[in-house]
Amino acid sequence: MAPLLLQLVVLGAALAAAALVLISIVAFTTATKMPALHRHEEEKFFLNAKGQKETLPSIWDSPTKQLSVVVPSYNEEKRLPVMMDEALSYLEKRQKYGSDKVRVITLVKNRGKGGAIRMGIFSSRGEKILMADADGATKFPDVEKLEKGLNDLQPWPNQMAIACGSRAHLEKESIAQRSYFRTLLMYGFHFLVWFLCVKGIRDTQCGFKLFTREAASRTFSSLHVERWAFDVELLYIAQFFKIPIAEIAVNWTEIEGSKLVPFWSWLQMGKDLLFIRLRYLTGAWRLEQTRKMN
């Protein structure tokens, strides 16, 4: 009996190793060498209040504002207006942000959430850049918590630092409201994030993150993943470059209308996490110095 069990264990290990080698080969051969930073001609402009075209600025220009806010939006007709009303109301009370309020960048094709945010980041004017979800799940005044977290990280190496909003403190409450299956998926995803990519950040997926301008340009110019798992690669890149990261608890409320389909979305993100790790390990992806957009 013992020899048979030993043979089964050896066979199982051999099959697992073969599967890992095969997946690594697939990850390597299907990887794009560097992220495409091309901007279509129509994406180089925005319409001003007079309806005239103006050229968008670049992340590599000197900042002209203290804060830029990037909000990715796709079919968000119901949720976006509520979020924008709250954000603009708050920002108008902080007069130092001025009255040059909203610029809309219309993308020629769907680049995914990560791709849309990257295009917004690359067109930002702020010394600090906040990315925020269109659903308004995080209360916008919590940006003050992120600002404090960012300041607490000083001195910033090469002027780079990131403050991540976090819902980790709400985990017990969310478990009580979720099914056992969704709770299992959540824990599985968290384990994969920790095991494969990012250590020390309990909530990588909160869409409320504040960057110094230098940190935003360094991380987003190296980003490959443009879909839901882009946050994980973004923080993987930040940790590779030793950019200090603060994880800050924020107020968060689940808003109806999420485009995530629980099982399939988690499965896709799990595959993305594995491929992120394998592509960096095999050298299909390499982290380089910041590149300017063509």
Side-chain angles (χ1 to χ4, degrees):
M1 188 67 177
L4 179 59
L5 286 175
L6 182 60
Q7 289 177 359
L8 290 175
V9 169
V10 171
L11 178 61
L15 289 174
L20 183 59
V21 170
L22 179 60
I23 293 171
S24 298
I25 292 171
V26 171
F28 184 87
T29 55
T30 59
T32 53
K33 292 298 180 183
M34 289 301 294
L37 302 186
H38 174 70
R39 190 191 288 266
H40 291 280
E41 190 65 28
E42 295 88 340
E43 298 170 348
K44 298 178 181 179
F45 305 94
F46 72 99
L47 296 180
N48 62 22
K50 297 179 181 179
Q52 300 169 331
K53 280 187 175 183
E54 282 191 33
T55 303
L56 286 162
S58 168
I59 186 72
W60 290 280
D61 297 336
S62 297
T64 58
K65 301 291 181 183
Q66 290 192 357
L67 178 70
S68 290
V69 183
V70 177
V71 183
S73 177
Y74 180 73
N75 292 340
E76 291 286 2
E77 296 88 349
K78 295 181 179 179
R79 302 193 298 181
L80 183 61
V82 178
M83 180 271 172
M84 291 295 291
D85 285 345
E86 180 189 28
L88 290 172
S89 175
Y90 169 79
L91 291 173
E92 284 175 350
K93 292 175 183 176
R94 296 177 59 163
Q95 295 179 355
K96 60 183 180 181
Y97 289 130
S99 58
D100 188 1
K101 299 174 185 176
V102 180
R103 293 180 171 184
V104 178
I105 305 174
T106 303
L107 302 184
V108 172
K109 67 174 184 177
N110 186 349
R111 297 172 181 260
K113 183 181 179 181
I117 291 176
R118 182 168 62 184
M119 296 299 283
I121 293 285
F122 285 163
S123 304
S124 296
R125 297 169 289 167
E127 294 175 2
K128 298 183 181 71
I129 303 173
L130 175 74
M131 60 179 250
D133 284 343
D135 60 5
T138 304
K139 294 301 178 185
F140 201 86
D142 278 3
V143 67
E144 295 179 14
K145 296 180 180 180
L146 298 192
E147 288 174 323
K148 182 181 183 304
L150 209 61
N151 289 332
D152 289 343
L153 293 173
Q154 289 184 337
W156 302 326
N158 298 316
Q159 292 301 304
M160 294 191 294
I162 301 172
C164 299
S166 175
R167 305 158 296 181
H169 61 295
L170 303 172
E171 192 170 281
K172 289 183 179 179
E173 180 182 340
S174 67
I175 289 173
Q177 298 173 357
R178 282 192 174 110
S179 67
Y180 289 117
F181 180 65
R182 291 192 67 182
T183 299
L184 182 64
L185 287 177
M186 180 188 72
Y187 277 124
F189 179 75
H190 288 174
F191 172 77
L192 287 176
V193 169
W194 172 84
F195 183 70
L196 295 172
C197 299
V198 178
K199 305 290 192 295
I201 306 295
R202 295 175 63 195
D203 182 8
T204 58
Q205 301 308 109
C206 181
F208 205 65
K209 293 182 174 70
L210 182 66
F211 303 80
T212 62
R213 189 174 185 84
E214 292 76 10
S217 65
R218 174 63 65 90
T219 53
F220 276 93
S221 64
S222 301
L223 188 70
H224 297 81
V225 177
E226 294 188 321
R227 300 292 170 178
W228 298 108
F230 81 95
D231 300 81
V232 177
E233 191 196 0
L234 196 71
L235 294 174
Y236 177 90
I237 293 167
Q239 291 188 339
F240 176 88
F241 286 122
K242 296 183 172 19
I243 299 173
I245 304 171
E247 186 172 13
I248 309 297
V250 294
N251 294 299
W252 186 85
T253 306
E254 188 163 355
I255 307 295
E256 291 185 2
S258 172
K259 297 177 180 63
L260 280 174
V261 180
F263 178 74
W264 295 112
S265 296
W266 288 95
L267 194 64
Q268 176 66 40
M269 285 193 284
K271 186 207 81 172
D272 287 345
L273 293 180
L274 181 60
F275 274 36
I276 288 170
R277 185 60 175 164
L278 290 176
R279 282 168 174 165
Y280 279 116
L281 279 175
T282 58
W285 290 349
R286 299 176 186 274
L287 291 173
E288 302 174 357
Q289 295 300 316
T290 301
R291 298 173 301 123
K292 291 188 177 182
M293 177 181 289
N294 179 1

